[in-house]
Amino acid sequence: MSDIFIKSFNRPFYLDRCISSIYQKVTGDFKIKILDDGTPEKYLDKIRKKYPDVEILLSNSYENKVKAIAANIKSGTSINGFEIPTKFWYDNVKNSSDYIIVTEDDVWFTECINLDELKENARKFNIHLLKLGWLGNENERKYLNLNSISENLESAQPKDLLLMNKKLMTAFFHNQYKFFTILYKLKAVNNYTPAKYWALNSILMGFFKKEYWLEIWKDMDGKVDEKKQLINAAVIYKKHRKNPNFISRLKKEVMKTTFQSSATNSYHQYGFDFDVNQFNYLINEAWLRNDFDALQNFPKDFSLDYFKNFVSEKINISEFEKWVEKFRKQYDDMGCITK
């Protein structure tokens, strides 16, 4: 069996979409486990009723997060989206199957895959991370050595990464002792070099050997420290770099995420008159009433016009559109396909 973990926070309309996509597109022996950090109980009850085989686990901060959501809706009190239950995630993954998927509520499957076959191939080819999606970003191809290893898989060895011990990798990513600056002046690195290390990780769309995921997420200390993740990944990859299949990927992407919503106002504040928390609340309530179809426009993202039907009376639509455009542009600039 393979465990599929879905990290969830107060977007049951996307969570519903994510779970439904798994049952539509994923076959094999698997168990879905929701790692929830504050979705109000009335929404989770609907998820439980609709998907009785799905296990919902609640974080230690669950009750406080639910209260924060209620206070936000009542009086506009801010929700601290940076209080992250990383230990909760880590402990559940630690006690899980040998191979795992760890994704989030606003990610869904778009193509069919069989997890038993993926696990068999991961063992056969000694794959520690099999990427199932990369946001359409084909710019990274020039930084990878891609070689076919089966009908559906290709190895994805990163090119020209500096691989050092943990102390030096930390100095590199944080420019301690002006280490990065010195390398830059020597033309050994450029401004894009740190981003190349994402070849070693996948936050939302990876099929992992459990031990590798645990190494990447070690010592997160209650926050998603992406630099620390890449440092950890580089250190472990250095030990396995002779394995050409250590990082591999499907030849065709099978997962997609949204570029139209965020979990809280703590993220992506652009100065527009748009309240993400209020937006999510309005959609959540419409979904709870069965007015909102979680699979509208599937397998593409929800259409903006569909969202507008449920929020136009209380959300400034022009500001919402500006926010979405700014949100998309961040990823467009990185080479992702956001539409």
Side-chain angles (χ1 to χ4, degrees):
M1 178 180 288
S2 299
D3 287 320
I4 301 176
F5 290 101
I6 307 172
K7 297 182 287 186
S8 172
F9 178 74
N10 196 34
R11 282 187 292 179
F13 63 98
Y14 267 124
L15 178 59
D16 187 0
R17 187 183 187 86
C18 177
I19 298 170
S20 181
S21 78
I22 294 171
Y23 284 124
Q24 286 187 49
K25 302 294 186 180
V26 180
T27 55
D29 187 13
F30 63 85
K31 175 73 174 180
I32 301 174
K33 298 180 180 180
I34 311 301
L35 303 178
D36 195 84
D37 189 41
T39 303
E41 194 70 18
K42 62 181 179 179
Y43 302 139
L44 292 182
D45 283 343
K46 181 174 178 178
I47 293 292
R48 290 186 181 101
K49 185 176 180 180
K50 188 171 183 179
Y51 305 106
D53 293 333
V54 169
E55 183 177 1
I56 298 179
L57 304 164
L58 306 180
S59 72
N60 291 334
S61 56
Y62 175 83
E63 294 295 339
N64 288 335
K65 291 289 184 68
V66 169
K67 291 177 182 177
I69 290 168
N72 171 266
I73 297 304
K74 182 177 180 180
S75 60
T77 306
S78 64
I79 300 172
N80 185 353
F82 297 110
E83 292 181 356
I84 308 296
T86 54
K87 186 177 187 301
F88 169 60
W89 299 341
Y90 191 92
D91 289 345
N92 277 281
V93 170
K94 187 176 181 179
N95 294 314
S96 69
S97 57
D98 291 340
Y99 290 88
I100 56 168
I101 292 174
V102 183
T103 187
E104 295 188 3
D105 51 13
D106 62 349
V107 180
W108 58 93
F109 286 84
T110 59
E111 303 286 346
C112 295
I113 59 168
N114 182 286
L115 290 192
D116 295 342
E117 292 178 3
L118 293 188
K119 182 165 64 174
E120 181 181 349
N121 280 318
R123 287 173 172 163
K124 177 180 178 181
F125 297 112
N126 196 16
I127 297 170
H128 285 61
L129 167 57
L130 178 65
K131 294 194 175 187
L132 308 179
W134 43 93
L135 306 181
N137 187 351
E138 287 300 301
N139 287 343
E140 71 173 8
R141 292 183 67 91
K142 59 186 175 183
Y143 302 110
L144 300 173
N145 286 314
L146 298 173
N147 293 289
S148 178
I149 55 178
S150 74
E151 181 182 356
N152 299 315
L153 308 180
E154 58 189 3
S155 64
Q157 284 184 292
K159 298 178 183 177
D160 305 323
L161 288 187
L162 293 173
L163 298 171
M164 301 167 283
N165 61 39
K166 190 165 188 176
K167 185 174 182 179
L168 288 176
M169 290 305 311
T170 301
F172 172 78
F173 272 97
H174 293 281
N175 200 23
Q176 295 173 349
Y177 319 111
K178 295 188 176 180
F179 186 38
F180 183 87
T181 301
I182 293 169
L183 292 174
Y184 187 90
K185 289 181 177 178
L186 293 172
K187 298 184 178 181
V189 300
N190 56 41
N191 289 330
Y192 185 78
T193 300
K196 291 167 63 175
Y197 288 81
W198 278 107
L200 304 177
N201 194 14
S202 177
I203 294 288
L204 306 175
M205 303 177 183
F207 181 75
F208 280 89
K209 188 172 184 179
K210 178 175 68 174
E211 285 74 12
Y212 185 49
W213 190 96
L214 292 172
E215 284 291 333
I216 290 174
W217 283 84
K218 187 165 59 179
D219 302 325
M220 283 298 111
D221 302 323
K223 59 182 179 179
V224 180
D225 187 333
E226 293 183 350
K227 287 185 178 180
K228 183 178 284 188
Q229 287 186 37
L230 297 183
I231 291 165
N232 291 342
V235 170
I236 193 70
Y237 180 69
K238 181 175 184 292
K239 300 176 183 178
H240 296 272
R241 57 184 164 181
K242 292 184 179 180
N243 173 5
N245 304 324
F246 188 87
I247 307 291
S248 297
R249 67 181 198 172
L250 293 179
K251 293 179 180 178
K252 183 177 184 179
E253 287 186 286
V254 301
M255 299 181 81
K256 183 179 178 64
T257 188
T258 184
F259 298 96
Q260 297 179 168
S261 171
S262 181
T264 74
N265 281 337
S266 300
Y267 305 95
H268 314 300
Q269 293 183 353
Y270 306 128
F272 301 123
D273 182 22
F274 172 65
D275 187 331
V276 172
N277 300 320
Q278 178 69 11
F279 173 87
N280 288 336
Y281 172 73
L282 294 171
I283 302 298
N284 289 346
E285 288 294 296
W287 170 83
L288 186 64
R289 297 190 304 267
N290 295 320
D291 293 336
F292 185 91
D293 179 7
L295 290 176
Q296 188 271 338
N297 207 36
F298 182 84
K300 296 181 179 179
D301 202 351
F302 298 109
S303 66
L304 282 181
D305 286 340
Y306 190 66
F307 275 142
K308 292 174 188 177
N309 291 331
F310 301 95
V311 303
S312 59
E313 292 184 5
K314 294 188 177 181
I315 296 290
N316 186 320
I317 295 300
S318 65
E319 293 292 285
F320 168 49
E321 290 174 335
K322 292 176 186 176
W323 185 92
V324 170
E325 188 62 28
K326 183 72 172 181
F327 188 22
R328 286 184 184 281
K329 191 174 186 307
Q330 286 182 295
Y331 292 90
D332 288 338
D333 290 345
M334 291 188 288
C336 299
I337 297 174
T338 64
K339 296 182 180 180

